[in-house]
Amino acid sequence: MIPTAQAFGIDIGGSGIKGAPVDLNAGQFASDRLRIPTPEVSTPDAVADVVTEILNHFDVHDGTPIGVAFPAPIKPGKPIDFMANLDQSWVGVDITKLLSEKTGRRIRVVNDADAAGLAEVQYGAAKGQSGLVITTTLGTGIGTALIIDGVLVPNTELGHLNLEGKDAEHYASDAARSRKDLNWKKWGKRLTKYYKLLEKYFNPDLFVVGGGVSKKSAKFFPYIKIDTPIVPAQLLNNAGIIGAAYFADHQQKLEAAARANGVLAVQQVEHVPAARV
Ligand code: BGC
């Protein structure tokens, strides 16, 4: 693998599965990413085959931390119990076990929005921000990451809050914008309702807006009328890959430290949710 890369990240999304070696000092790709379309029927086996193909494409050294960002809540050692936007056959599957067995490597899995949030706090738009940062990813769904003074509260799933009698992501995601052919102003009004809801319940210090559409923030930010500061993600759509790589490296270090101290078994370490950044 490229000498500057210390970890490898893969981001599994509704339309594409993307991977790249990551330079964790710089918080950027160490070489170009590879993107393969998500299989039309996105079953666990079909997705695992694409993950294997991506890893085979790059010369990833043994021992390199490999992180996968995935669009569902991830509880280590437990099967997935909720899946919004990929094939329902994921429910009941232990993704970490499946991907590790299929690829023959130690794979660490993190929720995709949590990965993006970690990357933005570590390297991007929320670097140095104290207090509560809520990163939202606007794509097929709405993903959320809550990070308090650098510590992640994982699996928050606030894209499924009830808004206007619907699942919020069905009302305000980027996919909802395309589906309903909303102009930027109309979508901005829907986003205002969504961010106001988050404001009311969480009182964050900063919102970061990620997902592919964040590169067009100049078009819709003027229509989001809220009190909390709101900024576009700096790592744009690369945050999932970079955050997954960062997460895997962080977990690997925690596990190594725990083994050295002989205090915790590896499985217990994996249940420590906080990634202090
Ligand atoms: C899923 C989340 C995910 C988000 C963004 C939601 O539908 O439930 O786990 O983070 O989409 O992909």
Side-chain angles (χ1 to χ4, degrees):
M1 197 164 67
I2 318 294
T4 50
Q6 301 99 341
F8 196 87
I10 294 180
D11 190 7
I12 297 177
S15 58
I17 303 180
K18 301 158 282 183
V22 175
D23 176 344
L24 292 175
N25 296 327
Q28 60 193 30
F29 295 168
S31 75
D32 286 348
R33 66 166 205 188
L34 174 67
R35 180 186 188 277
I36 295 178
T38 306
E40 215 157 289
V41 185
S42 52
T43 58
D45 275 346
V47 169
D49 284 346
V50 176
V51 169
T52 309
E53 191 180 336
I54 291 177
L55 287 175
N56 289 344
H57 173 86
F58 291 91
D59 177 23
V60 184
H61 299 162
D62 275 349
T64 303
I66 301 170
V68 169
F70 192 72
I74 302 298
K75 299 167 208 149
K78 294 199 176 144
I80 286 172
D81 58 11
F82 173 73
M83 170 47 73
N85 293 313
L86 292 181
D87 198 77
Q88 285 305 311
S89 57
W90 277 100
V91 174
V93 171
D94 179 339
I95 181 172
T96 305
K97 192 160 170 269
L98 173 86
L99 294 183
S100 298
E101 279 172 9
K102 279 268 196 174
T103 61
R105 291 169 178 274
R106 176 80 168 82
I107 306 281
R108 293 172 173 86
V109 185
V110 59
N111 170 263
D112 58 354
D114 285 345
L118 286 171
E120 290 296 334
V121 167
Q122 184 68 17
Y123 305 107
K127 195 172 172 166
Q129 173 71 49
S130 57
L132 174 60
V133 177
I134 301 186
T135 299
T136 56
T137 60
L138 305 176
T140 310
I142 295 182
T144 55
L146 256 66
I147 298 186
I148 304 170
D149 288 331
V151 177
L152 172 70
V153 180
N155 299 320
T156 46
E157 296 293 318
L158 303 178
H160 301 292
L161 288 176
N162 190 292
L163 187 61
E164 300 283 310
K166 293 191 180 103
D167 205 282
E169 74 175 23
H170 293 155
Y171 181 74
S173 67
D174 191 36
R177 177 182 70 85
S178 314
R179 213 171 36 240
K180 295 269 171 197
D181 201 15
L182 300 173
N183 62 28
W184 297 111
K185 188 172 178 186
K186 285 201 171 133
W187 190 44
K189 280 192 177 163
R190 290 186 176 208
L191 288 173
T192 299
K193 288 186 194 163
Y194 180 61
Y195 287 108
K196 271 186 183 293
L197 195 63
L198 297 183
E199 252 182 346
K200 177 173 168 190
Y201 289 116
F202 295 96
N203 293 292
D205 296 285
L206 178 70
F207 285 118
V208 178
V209 180
V213 74
S214 59
K215 59 177 177 286
K216 297 188 186 145
S217 63
K219 294 193 190 290
F220 62 94
F221 267 39
Y223 303 115
I224 303 178
K225 311 272 189 217
I226 54 172
D227 295 328
T228 311
I230 181 163
V231 293
Q234 263 173 28
L235 304 172
L236 302 172
N237 230 6
N238 298 343
I241 294 178
I242 294 170
Y246 169 79
F247 173 83
D249 179 66
H250 187 81
Q251 290 293 315
Q252 186 160 309
K253 286 184 178 136
L254 280 180
E255 289 162 22
R259 268 196 301 273
N261 293 332
V263 272
L264 293 171
V266 166
Q267 191 57 40
Q268 284 172 287
V269 175
E270 283 191 312
H271 280 85
V272 175
R276 187 170 284 282
V277 291

